[in-house]
Amino acid sequence: MKKIFRLIAIAAAAAGLLASCEKSAISPLSGEYPAADQLKGVTFTDGGRTSEDGFYVFSVKGQNLDLYFAGRSWYLGEGSYNYSEVPAGNALLARSSVNGKAIVRGGLTVYKKGDDYEIDGTVWLSDNEPVQIKSHGTLIYEEVIVTPKFYYTLSDYEDNGVKRGYNLSLTDLQGASAANFLLISNSGVTGTYAIGDPNAGDNGIASYGVDLSALFGQPAGSFVMGSYFFEDGKQWLLTAGSVEVSGDENMYTVVVSNLVAAALDGTPYSGDTKTFENAVKPAPVEPVTLTLEGWSAEYSFKDNADAGTREHKLALKDSFGGDAGQIVVNTTVLGGINGTFEAATDTEKIDRYTAGADLSIFGMGWIGSYFSVLGTSFPINGGTMTISSDAETVSVSVHGLTGIDGVNGLSLPAMALTIAQPDNPQPPVPGDESFTLEGCTYTLVSAPKEGVDGVTEHTFTFKDASDNVVAQYVEWTATDAAITGSFSWAATTETAIGSFAGGYDFFGMAIFGSYYVREGGSYLINGGTAEVSESGGKLSVKITGLVSATAAGEAGTATILEIKDAVNADAPVEKETFLVENGTYTVTSLPKEGVDGVTEHTFTFKDVEGNLVGSYVEWTATDAAYTGFFTYAEPTATAIGSFAGGLDFFGMMTLGTYYFREGVEYLVNAGTSIVAEEDGKLSVIISDLGSAAKDATAGTAEILYFKDFTKAE
């Protein structure tokens, strides 16, 4: 009976515990959430569609259901919609509610099949209660066709190379300028901007408009910056107000409110608001290559000896003989105009073309590379330029040309070439002359650079087949860094990591640094870029943009120095080995007749098939071991510690040391031998081997190796 009462008590206690588990409670230990209320089978209808901040907002209503979705499309699209306070792509807006209670978090998934929709998901309400929704309905939307009213271009705005925002420029559909907004922003282009000083902060500022034309002595409106718009044939500079940019890259709308603006003549603007809506990107134009035939060019150049550079210029004439622009390329001194060039940058100017720019407002006209067609000039400031010339013609092409609508290439084929007489006596259009050294050996000395921590100096000395020095190359690397890679030229005294040392003549007594020898003259290298590579144990050095001269100042004509596949003179040479192994041998040891205290040991070697493969004869002191080191001696010498050379006895027999290779018998006539015996097996190695067949044909093997022969029974 007591047991029954105890069971009843336990059951009652358990019931009490179960009764305390209300669905709104969350277990503090398990982290479990209460089961969600369910709102299933609800049929919803269309509550309307509006447009906010560049997004469409869709209202969906049903019994106890009031939902708002935001999206880009003109209809409610399929996908997951997450809770958001403000309209955004695929957003379930905070204004949504269930059972009259606001949704505070969660998300819903929209499924669509034609006009039939289903909305599923779980959301949490303002009382922290979860609700599971599963509803359906029919939603029919009329397609919204938006008519573009403006075209826009968007570019980064930079100040001293640092991006500070954007420049949003608008034109009407005919291409006439409509407005420009310089927006200081550290995030995206959309947002609200206060019109003011662009230097007053780093976000949320639309620069006021300013006309700087007078500073350069130009008519009003020639040089306007900042934010402005056009209306009634006048350009209005914004000085105060607010600029709101909404939308995305597909379409922007700009609203200027509370605006204060003035025309270039000072007339105040009478309106308060200006709207530029539905601005889209201009339709892409299939790019073409602009080909201009029948042109001509005059070539000239000038050198900057201090900088070691040369500026090449092609002055262009159109088919009517009128000035039509110019091409400007910078190279090292003696560098050629022929080649492929990218546009110069602030840090990279050599072997590049100078981009074009119109500096007319400064009274300087056009500079750099540009061309003119029918009185209009166009800069060449983007793309890859290729120039090819001979004595009579020059061709110029640019691929990837930027800045001209619908044009991505420029071709100036086979222009008639004339050459202006330069002050410099060097050839006016030097090509890329290459001087190549092949079949060289080299030695390398690598040592820490004295007085400079962490730097190793590598000195390569190259010699020709006659052991004459033909070049020296010196480079600096970080300690333990590889000797291969790219190295720029530096003066001999600089010791710059990643550079190679220029040549230096020490009062005619010695040459330091990098130089090469050509036709008996030593040329000091004083410009260029070196590429050092190693492959298959061979070293190559190629210096492009080469500038060189003798100690007397005579310029070298080569623009490329190439030392190809030099072999390390100190590297061990792999020797050819003739190996015979795992055969049998016999040895006969007898006192040498007529010579006291000497034993002659004759070893006969046979291969595994029993064929004779060689003989080895050595002399030791009586009772001495036949293993050890032995030097070559003539067959008749009988010298202790030597082995006997091979001897052909009148074609009847062979005496001394010899071997068979591919059916040919070779007599040994030089070398040093080692005889070893281990675990009952005998090996004989003859290194620095000299041998010859009976017809005097020299053997090619440099090592003869009888390996692991077992003594015959």
Side-chain angles (χ1 to χ4, degrees), residues 603 616 618 626-630 673-677 682-685:
F603 298 83
Y616 171 77
E618 69 180 28
Y626 54 63
T627 56
F629 294 88
F630 299 85
S673 68
I674 301 174
V675 180
E677 196 169 23
L682 183 83
S683 295
V684 177
I685 302 175

Side-chain angles (χ1 to χ4, degrees), residues 26 80 134 201 212 228 239 246 283 395 400 465 515 526 540 674 683 705:
I26 300 176
S80 298
K134 190 174 182 66
L212 301 177
Y228 52 85
T239 58
S246 60
S395 297
Y515 67 93
N526 50 37
S540 296
I674 301 174
S683 295
Y705 191 3

Side-chain angles (χ1 to χ4, degrees), residues 58 60 75 113 117 128 142 178 340 374 467 480 560 665 685 712:
F58 305 93
V60 176
Y75 60 89
K113 188 174 183 180
Y117 283 80
N128 208 32
E142 182 178 350
T340 299
L374 300 178
D467 207 35
D480 298 328
I560 299 173
E665 186 178 26
I685 302 175

Side-chain angles (χ1 to χ4, degrees), residues 580-587 601-605 616 618 626-628 674-685 705-712:
V580 184
E581 57 184 333
N582 299 326
T584 60
Y585 77 93
T586 59
V587 58
H601 307 274
T602 301
F603 298 83
T604 303
F605 297 96
Y616 171 77
E618 69 180 28
Y626 54 63
T627 56
I674 301 174
V675 180
E677 196 169 23
E678 184 177 6
D679 297 331
K681 294 187 177 182
L682 183 83
S683 295
V684 177
I685 302 175
Y705 191 3
F706 295 111
K707 181 182 179 183
D708 293 341
F709 276 68
T710 303
K711 193 170 185 179

Side-chain angles (χ1 to χ4, degrees), residues 383-400:
T384 301
M385 178 183 294
T386 301
I387 302 177
S388 175
S389 68
D390 53 33
E392 298 179 349
T393 63
V394 60
S395 297
V396 179
S397 63
V398 183
H399 298 284

Side-chain angles (χ1 to χ4, degrees), residues 402-551:
T402 60
I404 307 175
D405 290 342
V407 177
N408 72 342
L410 171 67
S411 176
L412 303 172
M415 294 182 288
L417 178 66
T418 58
I419 299 174
Q421 292 301 317
D423 295 332
N424 191 318
Q426 296 297 330
V429 190
D432 287 331
E433 179 186 341
S434 181
F435 178 55
T436 303
L437 295 168
E438 296 184 273
C440 300
T441 60
Y442 76 93
T443 56
L444 170 62
V445 177
S446 299
K449 181 62 178 176
E450 185 177 355
V452 184
D453 292 337
V455 177
T456 298
E457 182 175 270
H458 306 276
T459 301
F460 300 81
T461 302
F462 297 91
K463 293 184 178 182
D464 62 15
S466 300
D467 207 35
N468 299 310
V469 175
V470 292
Q472 180 171 283
Y473 169 79
V474 179
E475 70 182 27
W476 300 296
T477 69
T479 302
D480 298 328
I483 59 173
T484 56
S486 296
F487 298 85
S488 56
W489 180 89
T492 313
T493 56
E494 286 189 14
T495 314
I497 290 177
S499 298
F500 74 93
Y504 176 69
D505 179 70
F506 188 70
F507 302 105
M509 295 184 288
I511 298 178
F512 299 103
S514 303
Y515 67 93
Y516 64 96
V517 179
R518 186 177 189 184
E519 297 177 356
S522 295
Y523 289 82
L524 313 179
I525 298 174
N526 50 37
T529 300
E531 190 72 31
V532 181
S533 59
E534 200 169 16
S535 178
K538 296 181 178 181
L539 185 86
S540 296
V541 178
K542 185 176 183 179
I543 301 178
T544 55
L546 175 70
V547 181
S548 62
T550 65

Side-chain angles (χ1 to χ4, degrees), residues 29 88 281 295 378 436 628:
L29 297 179
K281 288 182 179 179
W295 285 29
F378 302 92
T436 303

